[in-house]
Amino acid sequence: MVSRVIPVDRFDLVIFGGTGDLARRKILPGLYRRFCAGQMPDGARIIGAARSDLDRGAFQDMVRDAITEFGTGAPCEGATLDDFLETLDYMRVDARGEDGWDALKDMLRDDSDVVRAFYFSVGPGLFGDIAARLQSHGLATEDSRVVVEKPFGRDLGSARALNADLAQHFREDQIYRIDHYLGKETVQNLMAVRFGNVLFEPLWNAQFVDHIQITVAETVSVEGRGAYYDKSGAMRDMVQNHLMQLLCLIAMEPPSRFDPDAVRDEKLKVIRALAPVEPHHIVRGQYEAGGGVASYRDHAENPKSFTESFIALRCHIENWRWAGVPFYLRTGKRMKARMSEITVVFKPTRHSIFDIGEGEDVHSNMLHIRLQPNEGMTLDVTIKEPGPGGMRLVTVPLDMTFSEALGPEAEDVPDAYERLIMDVIRGNQTLFMRGDEVEAAWAWTDPIIAGWEARADVPKPYEPGSSGPEDALMLMHRDGRRWREIKA
Ligand code: NAD
């Protein structure tokens, strides 16, 4: 297969928070893997900027350790790692002070052919300070880009304030709001399958789709970040961003072109068409203690916490395409298995010419889009069970990942962060959230959260290692449907 990796321009990438957890676990090992893949141009430079008092050598040592610990899978030898470390530099800066900024400016190349990007891998409380100092110290240029991490606000008001802070110093086409779910291979493959084939799009509507499920199940607890998580909960931490983004891509109208604003305009229309969720269509849960692990409330160090570590909800998109089609979303911690999956359940055939025995299921086609683990897609199709004994129907999965057809290169896909950072350098905003999208998502989420607070809604306890509270299963059973089994 001929590789069609789009080369990137030379760049200076400054990572604010370059010594932090996210930089060490994801950003720097991701950049290293792109370096190993030969995708980093000569003259690429990465500059860590943080509060710690390090020099270049100490930062390189820190990055070497981080890559050893987290950079699994990088097909690189020791000498290549040394070459990568040579691209690094470090400057101590205080986002809230003036020290270090002029020296950081001197490190950057004054060359319009070199892309200049600033990654804000720090808490959102520092976004405005950093943006302002980039301007006041003359580091920001007409074309430089800024990358901001989640959480982008905790409600509509705070998201608007963040957008306004950034807008004072940067245009929207310079701002890259990360949602790493959008960087996943299968998420992009979903668009290719929908809009690159004639087969699916005619069926992608209320006439043929019974319902759509989105599950993001995690096995981890909130241990270690319980106090932080307790101020947020599953709705703010997962639904408002990741699940909403997946919902948008699955439900949006075909954009006129695969171009950043065309795609994001269509996603925005989906969010704006979401109906308010009825309180009885939401189930919130909190994990109990079990399996040698403490309960959510213990992890949150808040014995009276009403914050949810699990949520399941049913929502509706009020437009022509999706009228009457429920979308079921669920996400939670301490669940049975780690699994992120979207399933499109099609309606059964209008009339079955086959005898269906009592108790036997009517077969429906289902398209499963798996984000993790084992990214891939399968389509359940109905065929005749082989062998004698009459016409019995079975459902078999049709593997649509095509890894065999595409060869080993199809296996060697970049991780979500790697892809997104390279998109920043290429100047492609398609897989980044626009400011109005984020605000629209909060505008939908805020009244739901306000309702819980007004009612002092208490989450249902659930057993760790389960599929969540019983009521979440009932949410579907009441509608005569069932969730996909959570399994790795
Ligand atoms: P962290 O606390 O581990 O690191 C924070 C970094 O910011 C450090 O490098 C620190 O030196 C720097 N910093 C703090 N105050 C500073 C100041 N005044 N001036 C200059 N530098 C300062 O945090 P993290 O976990 O790396 O998270 C960074 C951001 O990424 C946060 O917004 C977080 O919500 C987001 N995020 C993190 C993860 C993750 O897995 N860690 C995942 C998704 C999003």
Side-chain angles (χ1 to χ4, degrees):
M1 197 175 88
V2 181
S3 173
R4 292 191 52 227
V5 174
I6 303 170
V8 295
D9 291 330
R10 288 188 299 149
F11 61 83
D12 281 344
L13 171 65
V14 179
I15 307 174
F16 291 103
T19 58
D21 179 66
L22 182 68
R24 282 185 295 111
R25 277 195 312 116
K26 291 285 180 191
I27 303 171
L28 290 157
L31 285 163
Y32 174 56
R33 280 193 292 269
R34 289 295 90 208
F35 185 84
C36 294
Q39 213 191 341
M40 288 256 252
D42 286 343
R45 289 178 49 211
I46 299 157
I47 301 163
R51 251 188 328 193
S52 316
D53 198 5
L54 304 180
D55 60 13
R56 179 173 186 234
F59 183 61
Q60 286 170 321
D61 289 344
M62 188 213 81
V63 176
R64 186 192 292 279
D65 291 347
I67 288 171
T68 312
E69 191 174 352
F70 303 112
T72 47
C76 259
E77 303 294 330
T80 318
L81 178 53
D82 291 341
D83 291 343
F84 174 72
L85 296 177
E86 278 307 305
T87 68
L88 303 179
D89 217 327
Y90 183 81
M91 181 51 65
R92 176 176 189 269
V93 290
D94 182 353
R96 296 214 158 109
E98 306 308 321
D99 286 352
W101 290 91
D102 292 334
L104 181 59
K105 182 182 177 198
D106 290 341
M107 282 183 168
L108 302 176
R109 283 167 289 184
D110 207 0
D111 177 345
S112 58
D113 287 341
V114 175
V115 172
R116 191 176 282 196
F118 302 101
Y119 198 130
F120 294 10
S121 181
V122 293
L126 295 179
F127 291 177
D129 293 303
I130 296 178
R133 280 169 181 77
L134 288 176
Q135 288 295 353
S136 62
H137 288 269
L139 283 83
T141 59
E142 259 301 285
D143 299 317
S144 50
R145 295 155 201 174
V146 296
V147 185
V148 293
E149 265 299 335
K150 85 164 209 186
F152 201 84
R154 55 171 282 108
D155 53 21
L156 179 57
S158 53
R160 275 193 180 140
L162 281 177
N163 275 336
D165 274 351
L166 292 172
Q168 271 190 36
H169 307 289
F170 296 96
R171 298 181 311 272
E172 183 62 34
D173 67 355
Q174 296 179 283
I175 304 170
Y176 292 71
R177 294 175 194 78
I178 289 235
D179 184 321
H180 68 273
Y181 271 62
L182 294 182
K184 290 182 180 291
E185 182 73 8
T186 333
V187 171
Q188 292 159 75
N189 211 351
L190 165 63
M191 288 189 270
V193 165
R194 271 193 73 186
F195 305 127
N197 295 287
V198 73
L199 286 183
F200 295 101
E201 207 40 36
L203 308 178
W204 213 262
N205 57 50
Q207 198 184 344
F208 295 102
V209 174
D210 178 75
H211 73 278
I212 292 180
Q213 306 185 13
I214 304 179
T215 296
V216 176
E218 298 176 290
T219 50
V220 291
S221 69
V222 300
E223 189 173 14
R225 60 180 202 117
Y228 160 81
Y229 185 93
D230 203 44
K231 295 194 196 79
S232 145
M235 189 71 169
R236 288 190 171 100
D237 192 49
M238 297 296 291
V239 177
Q240 185 274 343
N241 38 53
H242 306 316
L243 277 80
M244 285 278 262
Q245 287 295 318
L246 299 179
L247 175 74
C248 286
L249 292 178
I250 203 108
M252 70 183 183
E253 296 300 314
S256 56
R257 293 206 324 251
F258 190 60
D259 122 328
D261 275 327
V263 171
R264 297 185 303 175
D265 286 346
E266 295 308 334
K267 282 163 54 195
L268 178 63
K269 285 186 210 159
V270 173
I271 304 175
R272 290 196 173 147
L274 275 168
V277 183
E278 305 278 338
H280 65 282
H281 285 158
I282 304 184
V283 177
R284 300 164 72 226
Q286 240 180 22
Y287 61 80
E288 299 181 294
V293 180
S295 68
Y296 174 80
R297 288 184 171 191
D298 282 340
H299 284 150
E301 295 167 29
N302 178 2
K304 294 199 178 125
S305 172
F306 285 172
T307 304
E308 75 286 352
S309 62
F310 171 95
I311 188 162
L313 62 85
R314 171 184 149 161
C315 59
H316 285 269
I317 298 168
E318 291 186 323
N319 65 15
W320 193 281
R321 182 187 286 263
W322 296 116
V325 178
F327 286 73
Y328 298 91
L329 275 47
R330 78 180 153 165
T331 180
K333 308 276 180 205
R334 288 289 279 137
M335 304 199 64
K336 208 168 163 186
R338 175 170 172 262
M339 169 183 120
S340 299
E341 194 180 80
I342 306 170
T343 294
V344 181
V345 181
F346 292 92
K347 289 183 174 167
T349 49
R350 277 187 199 149
H351 163 73
S352 180
I353 63 168
F354 307 106
D355 285 337
I356 296 177
E358 211 168 306
E360 267 184 56
D361 275 347
V362 179
H363 297 267
S364 297
N365 296 117
M366 292 192 209
L367 177 65
H368 309 289
I369 301 141
R370 187 169 263 246
L371 312 181
Q372 62 191 21
N374 315 322
E375 289 192 50
M377 289 197 199
T378 51
L379 178 67
D380 289 350
V381 290
T382 302
I383 59 163
K384 177 189 170 297
E385 191 174 297
M391 193 68 171
R392 288 185 313 274
L393 303 183
V394 286
T395 302
V396 293
L398 204 66
D399 187 353
M400 307 220 308
T401 41
F402 303 128
S403 46
E404 269 183 32
L406 296 178
E409 270 184 61
E411 309 267 325
D412 184 24
V413 291
D415 151 86
Y417 270 96
E418 296 167 40
R419 179 191 313 274
L420 293 174
I421 297 170
M422 290 299 124
D423 276 0
V424 173
I425 307 298
R426 290 190 196 102
N428 184 347
Q429 288 185 304
T430 310
L431 301 176
F432 296 84
M433 296 180 293
R434 211 168 51 190
D436 51 3
E437 267 184 82
V438 179
E439 290 185 14
W442 281 121
W444 180 73
T445 324
D446 274 4
I448 300 175
I449 297 173
W452 300 335
E453 286 170 358
R455 293 193 303 276
D457 188 80
V458 184
K460 305 269 183 303
Y462 63 93
E463 249 181 70
S466 70
S467 303
E470 192 65 24
D471 289 24
L473 304 180
M474 290 310 298
L475 181 72
M476 277 247 185
H477 285 184
R478 275 204 308 263
D479 296 346
R481 302 184 174 103
R482 59 171 176 252
W483 291 104
R484 289 267 297 159
E485 193 189 340
I486 295 179
K487 58 180 181 206

